[in-house]
């Protein structure tokens, strides 16, 4: 039994080469590498190019790379550019990169949102990036360039706690008006911004209240 600190990029590559890519009828894939601090962008690239690329029939994908501190923008962009485009039936996407301290707004740029936009039938989107370097710019990418293209969403979960000053009145207004206004089927909205909303006032909350009432 390998401990998390023994799992390397090569191990993730072997998992893709020897196992995942042969399971072409797989519908649900959950990979948890929480605390595997030897995994870096190279491992994510192997997963994207050699593993996920072969699983076009997936309906649920859950990836947890919490505390993998060697992962940077390059790895996340590889996941979205190489891994997402092949999914034709994906309805649930859960991405956790909490405490990946090198992830910045650059990760949520065009490569990210174009990859997510391609998931036309997505109903459940959960993004957890607590304690990263994401700012209000990255959040606006989600509100303005990601969510508006996912018209079948019923569930949205966004967690960006301990991301300095990420949420203010304007960002919350964008999220409510541009990001979710078109979502007629939305039944669950979870926003977690603990210690990240010092710039928010009652005006931002009014935008949220008007959305849910």
């Amino acid at each position: 039994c390998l401990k998390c600190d023994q799992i390397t990029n090569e191990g993730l590559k072997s998992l893709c080469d020897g196992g995942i890519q042969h399971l072409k009828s797989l519908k649900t894939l959950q990979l948890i590498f929480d605390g595997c601090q030897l995994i870096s962008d190279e491992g994510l690239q192997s997963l994207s190019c050699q593993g996920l690329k072969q699983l076009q029939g997936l309906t649920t994908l859950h990836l947890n790379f919490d505390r993998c501190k060697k992962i940077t923008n390059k790895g996340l962009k590889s996941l979205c550019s190489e891994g997402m485009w092949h999914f034709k039936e994906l309805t649930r996407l859960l991405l956790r990169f909490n405490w990946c301290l090198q992830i910045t707004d650059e990760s949520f740029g065009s490569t990210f949102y174009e990859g997510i936009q391609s998931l036309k039938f997505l109903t459940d989107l959960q993004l957890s990036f607590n304690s990263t370097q994401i700012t209000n710019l990255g959040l606006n990418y989600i509100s303005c360039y990601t969510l508006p293209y996912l018209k079948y969403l019923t569930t949205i979960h966004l967690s960006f706690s301990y991301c300095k000053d990420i949420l203010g009145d304007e960002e919350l207004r964008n999220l409510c008006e541009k990001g979710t206004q078109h979502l007629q089927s939305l039944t669950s909205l979870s926003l977690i911004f603990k210690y990240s909303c010092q710039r928010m006032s009652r005006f931002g909350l009014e935008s949220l209240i008007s959305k849910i009432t």
Side-chain angles (χ1 to χ4, degrees):
C1 178
L2 289 176
K3 296 181 179 179
C4 277
D5 57 7
Q6 296 175 312
I7 298 177
T8 65
N9 293 325
E10 190 61 33
L12 186 51
K13 182 177 184 297
S14 297
L15 176 65
C16 295
D17 291 342
I20 290 178
Q21 68 173 356
H22 303 294
L23 303 174
K24 295 184 178 181
S25 61
L26 200 66
K27 293 298 182 182
T28 298
L29 178 63
Q30 180 178 16
L31 297 176
I32 299 177
F33 292 98
D34 186 349
C36 299
Q37 299 198 33
L38 295 178
I39 291 179
S40 67
D41 296 335
E42 181 184 344
L44 263 186
Q45 188 170 17
S46 295
L47 176 62
S48 303
C49 298
Q50 296 160 246
L52 299 181
K53 192 174 182 179
Q54 310 300 324
L55 305 178
Q56 298 184 22
L58 273 185
T59 58
T60 298
L61 176 61
H62 179 185
L63 300 178
N64 182 335
F65 286 92
D66 289 352
R67 284 176 276 264
C68 294
K69 297 180 180 179
K70 289 187 176 183
I71 290 178
T72 72
N73 297 325
K74 181 180 178 182
L76 189 55
K77 287 194 289 186
S78 174
L79 176 64
C80 293
S81 62
E82 301 291 341
M84 298 297 175
W85 289 95
H86 310 283
F87 298 135
K88 307 301 181 184
E89 303 175 24
L90 198 72
T91 59
R92 301 187 69 228
L93 177 63
L94 297 83
L95 299 179
R96 293 178 55 96
F97 287 84
N98 300 311
W99 299 285
C100 293
L101 304 179
Q102 298 189 66
I103 290 181
T104 70
D105 292 327
E106 183 184 341
S107 290
F108 285 175
S110 60
T111 303
F112 176 86
Y113 62 70
E114 287 174 4
I116 304 297
Q117 284 175 14
S118 69
L119 306 174
K120 300 297 185 182
F121 299 104
L122 207 63
T123 61
D124 185 348
L125 177 63
Q126 301 187 35
L127 303 175
S128 188
F129 286 79
N130 300 311
S131 294
T132 59
Q133 300 299 314
I134 304 297
T135 71
N136 60 323
L137 178 61
L139 183 59
N140 281 331
Y141 282 143
I142 295 174
S143 300
C144 300
Y145 300 106
T146 307
L147 298 180
Y149 293 86
L150 303 173
K151 62 182 179 179
Y152 296 113
L153 281 178
T154 61
T155 299
I156 299 173
H157 173 89
L158 302 178
S159 186
F160 290 85
S161 295
Y162 302 98
C163 296
K164 186 177 180 181
D165 290 339
I166 188 174
L167 187 66
D169 293 339
E170 181 180 354
E171 290 75 33
L172 190 54
R173 190 178 306 114
N174 282 339
L175 184 59
C176 293
E177 296 178 1
K178 297 180 180 179
T180 63
Q181 190 175 42
H182 67 293
L183 298 175
Q184 303 300 320
S185 301
L186 189 66
T187 58
S188 178
L189 176 63
S190 175
L191 305 175
I192 303 176
F193 291 87
K194 188 176 181 182
Y195 295 108
S196 301
C197 53
Q198 291 88 341
R199 294 185 295 106
M200 194 173 70
S201 71
R202 68 179 179 87
F203 299 106
L205 288 176
E206 287 172 358
S207 298
L208 180 60
I209 291 171
S210 65
K211 169 64 186 174
I212 61 179
T213 56

